[in-house]
Amino acid sequence: MDRRTIGIALGGVTGRMGYRQHLVRSLLAIREEGGLPLRDGSRLWPELVLVGRSEAKLREIAERHGLTDWSTDLTATLARPDVQIYFDAQVTSQREKALRMAIDAGKHIYTEKPIAEDLAAAVDLARLADGAGLKHGVVQDKLFLPGLRKLDRLVKGGFFGRILSIRGEFGYWVFEGDWQAAQRPSWNYRAADGGGITVDMFPHWHYVLEQIFGRVNAVTAHVTTHVPTRWDENGDAYEATADDAAYGIFELEGGVVAQINSSWAVRVYRDELVEFQVDGTEGSAVAGLRNCRIQHRATTPKPVWNPDLPATEDFRSQWQVVPDNEEFDNGFKAQWELFLRHVVEDEPYTWDLWAGARGVQLAELGLQSAREGRRFEVPEL
């Protein structure tokens, strides 16, 4: 079987997301399957170059997975003719500079979000990549989760009738780091390093809402820092200067209202770490990362409010489970495969830097809404 190679430089691969999801569960998984099947019957083989600041960490990861190519010199890596794609999973504050270098070097771009720290820079990156004739993509992994794939299927099938509202709950308790180690890196809570739950999660909510339900026309938000002091990886206390909770109202085309709470200071009392309830005239659904349950209007119960008596109905049992009906691969891997086909076979691809810029725009307007205490319309880019 013919095998074609494509060189991919991976920036930020020593971080949690870059290592687990993009290296191990995506690109190495593709290699373990013998490469990505292409239309002409050949297989595309990712040749990987690990890029970062710590030679020791890069060497350790490479040796762990039988890789031989790594570098602490991004400029030299981008100058290599055998590298066609640059991927970035660094901290947000370092991303824009690296993406600009890659665009200048003529490399196709695939990157984590947010793509930049402000809208002007995000738009400029998209324009530069377009002007250079490069393919570009932004990770929008939530769209590939089984629960949201099922939800999207329901929307496309007309299950809801006219959609009225969406309610989203995301988050969990991130330990402060003093008596238990935190589950997230300390830079997430420093504004100067690009931290904050609004810039992290609003881009996610933007593409989920836009791709499944419709354009986001306006936003009203309240953001706050519930936990003002945290402890870093060395056990030293520091001031949390970035927000750890964001409460947003998003007005969508067609009159749909979405309310989404995002918090790293909430304890979970739901089936999954993120859940969306969608209510429509014909039916409702509750979707999480993997599962999705529905209730049609014909099977909707008729409860009566009576605070003087205990509830007698098991409301959860009145919902029906949506079947898988297909096999769901890792969402990061699935999007990597689509992007690689976009690069080598020119397959259609919508999750580009412009989509990433719209996510940055929503986060920026959300923060402005919180500062000024008012609603903002979301202009077309």
Side-chain angles (χ1 to χ4, degrees), residues 114-134:
I115 64 173
E117 293 187 280
D118 59 70
L119 178 59
V123 168
D124 193 45
L125 285 172
R127 286 176 175 157
L128 285 173
D130 279 351
L134 301 170

Side-chain angles (χ1 to χ4, degrees), residues 27-331:
L27 293 169
L28 290 181
I30 291 172
R31 286 162 59 110
E32 288 168 5
E33 293 172 356
L36 177 66
L38 299 176
R39 283 191 307 235
D40 62 4
S42 66
R43 285 183 172 266
L44 187 67
W45 182 262
E47 286 288 0
L48 308 179
V49 184
L50 311 184
V51 184
R53 291 175 295 178
S54 171
E55 183 176 344
K57 290 181 180 179
L58 292 170
R59 181 186 295 108
E60 192 276 326
I61 291 173
E63 291 175 351
R64 186 189 311 165
H65 296 287
L67 301 173
T68 58
D69 208 346
W70 70 88
S71 175
T72 58
D73 189 337
L74 178 59
T75 301
T77 301
L78 293 175
R80 290 172 48 169
D82 60 334
V83 171
Q84 288 89 47
I85 295 174
Y86 172 70
F87 169 73
D88 192 275
Q90 299 182 90
V91 296
T92 304
S93 58
Q94 300 297 316
R95 183 162 297 136
E96 179 192 346
K97 177 183 177 182
L99 293 181
R100 287 182 183 276
M101 291 172 61
I103 292 170
D104 289 343
K107 309 302 179 184
H108 302 299
I109 299 296
Y110 189 51
T111 179
E112 271 288 352
K113 35 71 33 209
I115 64 173
E117 293 187 280
D118 59 70
L119 178 59
V123 168
D124 193 45
L125 285 172
R127 286 176 175 157
L128 285 173
D130 279 351
L134 301 170
K135 303 288 177 64
H136 45 90
V138 177
V139 178
Q140 300 196 341
D141 56 287
K142 303 293 184 290
L143 293 173
F144 298 88
L145 292 168
L148 291 187
R149 291 272 296 278
K150 296 171 189 176
L151 187 60
D152 185 52
R153 204 162 66 203
L154 291 169
V155 173
K156 287 182 170 61
F159 169 80
F160 296 102
R162 181 168 61 88
I163 295 177
L164 308 174
S165 64
I166 303 155
R167 293 174 177 82
E169 288 286 345
F170 164 79
Y172 47 94
W173 190 270
V174 176
F175 283 95
E176 297 90 328
D178 50 352
W179 69 286
Q180 286 200 55
Q183 310 96 294
R184 299 184 66 88
S186 59
W187 73 263
N188 282 172
Y189 304 94
R190 295 189 177 96
D193 293 330
I197 201 166
T198 305
V199 297
D200 186 3
M201 298 311 301
F202 272 37
H204 280 303
W205 307 149
H206 179 270
Y207 68 70
V208 167
L209 295 172
E210 179 187 64
Q211 296 283 322
I212 298 179
F213 301 102
R215 186 183 186 278
V216 181
N217 290 331
V219 59
T220 307
H222 174 77
V223 307
T224 190
T225 305
H226 287 307
V227 180
T229 303
R230 292 182 178 271
W231 283 258
D232 64 18
E233 291 77 5
N234 298 318
D236 297 324
Y238 67 95
E239 179 186 1
T241 54
D243 48 289
D244 58 16
Y247 309 93
I249 300 174
F250 309 96
E251 301 169 42
L252 313 186
E253 59 184 348
V256 180
V257 178
Q259 302 167 266
I260 306 179
N261 297 326
S262 312
S263 178
W264 288 320
V266 63
R267 294 179 175 88
V268 180
Y269 189 67
R270 52 191 122 85
D271 292 336
E272 302 193 59
L273 294 184
V274 62
E275 285 187 345
F276 295 93
Q277 177 164 336
V278 182
D279 292 302
T281 55
E282 298 296 316
S284 297
V286 176
L289 299 171
R290 300 203 62 83
N291 298 315
C292 184
R293 294 175 174 83
I294 56 174
Q295 187 173 90
H296 191 263
R297 66 178 300 191
T299 60
T300 301
K302 192 176 182 180
V304 176
W305 171 256
N306 189 341
D308 299 320
L309 295 175
T312 58
E313 294 185 81
D314 181 4
F315 292 107
R316 286 178 179 265
S317 68
Q318 297 164 347
W319 292 66
Q320 179 184 357
V321 175
V322 177
D324 288 351
N325 286 355
E326 61 180 301
E327 290 188 15
F328 298 105
D329 205 346
N330 176 280

